[in-house]
Amino acid sequence: MTTWVLLRGLMRDQRHWHGFDQRLRLKGLRVLTPDLPGNGRLTHIKSPLNIADYAAAVWQQIDEYCCETEPLYLLGLSMGGMLAMEMARQRPWQIKQVFILNSSAANLSPWYQRFNLINALKAVFLRKKGKDLNPIESTIVRLTSFRHCNDRHLIVHWSQLRKTSCPSLSNTWRQLWAAFIYQCPSTLFVPVSILCGDRDALVSIESSRALARHFQTALIVLAYCGHDAAIDVPAKLTHYLLALAPSVALPKSTLLAETSINNVHILDEELRQKETGLLAWDKKALSNVECE
């Protein structure tokens, strides 16, 4: 069985996939959502200062569930994209394909394209406020989501998660430094797909264009999508992933898409969207592709 590994980024953990992992499982796929050292279940561990050490730590978690001969698909969001690239560099024989989403590299893009400081400061002041809304989580949602920047339900949920566990200030700075200095490898010996949101307020689309040029592949742009594509366009993202990984065989029982996920808040536009229309792959769906 082919396994999908979902990799989150700075200060985030497996809980912040917000049901996207469950969406893939409902398609009949095996999904792993490891936490980075210092995040989620691993908040007691000191975060490394370089991406290579994060990759080694994630491989240790994966090895508990998978043998080395089992092929893996990697999906990395933001800093998770850097982690995916490094994991593919360390064990290319175990990777079937890498999907890099709204990510960047220091050797390809200037810092101001990798982290929009002005938009980050704006998010602090424009965030949704309330007694039950954690200001940090409210700022993160404002900055990383285009469609749900004021989604009170989402912010409340993430505020509650923060009360349970959150990275320490020192680990946050260590993760920032690791992402800041990361340089992607000159080449990867596995297929690479680059995706980005056209409304990403945190990481410039130019960073994704630089990655696409570097790996000599097309850039797939997700329309009306912010930095956190798993929140903004989960159905569309799922469609692209499965379309770009044609060797993935879905069980017949999943050919009719689920329209609800137990214990997960389904965002409004997802309730209105007919996912069955996305199951039939059509080349027209790649109309929003940039070829460098």
Side-chain angles (χ1 to χ4, degrees), residues 4 37 40 54 61-62 78 103 108 117 123 127-128 147 159 171 179 181 189 193 197 214 239 243-244 265 287 290 292:
W4 286 72
Y54 286 97
Q61 297 179 58
I62 293 175
S78 194
S103 193
L108 300 180
L117 182 60
R127 73 181 191 274
K128 194 171 186 65
R147 299 190 181 193
S159 297
N171 275 343
I181 66 172
F189 298 100
S193 295
H214 181 73
H239 170 61
L244 293 168
H265 169 53
S287 58
E290 298 183 4
E292 298 292 345

Side-chain angles (χ1 to χ4, degrees), residues 4-21:
W4 286 72
V5 180
L6 309 187
L7 303 166
R8 269 285 182 174
L10 181 69
M11 296 192 298
R12 304 289 87 180
D13 58 65
Q14 60 179 273
R15 302 170 300 172
H16 294 100
W17 285 110
H18 202 61
F20 182 74
D21 53 332

Side-chain angles (χ1 to χ4, degrees), residues 82 103-121 176-177 179-182 201-207 210:
M82 306 174 201
S103 193
S104 64
N107 56 327
L108 300 180
S109 303
W111 71 268
Y112 55 85
Q113 290 182 354
R114 303 181 66 211
F115 184 88
N116 193 317
L117 182 60
I118 294 177
N119 283 345
L121 293 175
L176 270 170
W177 176 254
F180 179 74
I181 66 172
Y182 174 72
L202 179 60
V203 178
S204 171
I205 192 174
E206 295 303 324
S207 293

Side-chain angles (χ1 to χ4, degrees), residues 9-10 17 23 28 64 78 90 93 101 105 111 139 143 151 157 187 231 237-238 259 267 271 279:
L10 181 69
W17 285 110
R23 179 182 292 274
E64 296 178 6
S78 194
Q90 292 180 359
W93 62 86
L101 178 59
W111 71 268
T139 299
L143 181 61
D151 189 329
H157 178 55
T187 187
I231 298 296
L237 179 58
T238 299
T259 56
L267 302 175
L271 288 172
L279 289 174

Side-chain angles (χ1 to χ4, degrees), residues 89-143:
R89 187 195 67 80
Q90 292 180 359
R91 297 192 193 179
W93 62 86
Q94 200 168 346
I95 307 301
K96 201 170 185 66
Q97 190 168 348
V98 173
F99 297 90
I100 303 170
L101 178 59
N102 288 327
S103 193
S104 64
N107 56 327
L108 300 180
S109 303
W111 71 268
Y112 55 85
Q113 290 182 354
R114 303 181 66 211
F115 184 88
N116 193 317
L117 182 60
I118 294 177
N119 283 345
L121 293 175
K122 286 181 179 179
V124 173
F125 294 100
L126 297 176
R127 73 181 191 274
K128 194 171 186 65
K129 301 174 179 65
K131 291 190 299 182
D132 53 348
L133 305 181
N134 180 278
I136 294 177
E137 295 301 328
S138 186
T139 299
I140 290 174
V141 171
R142 176 76 195 191
L143 181 61

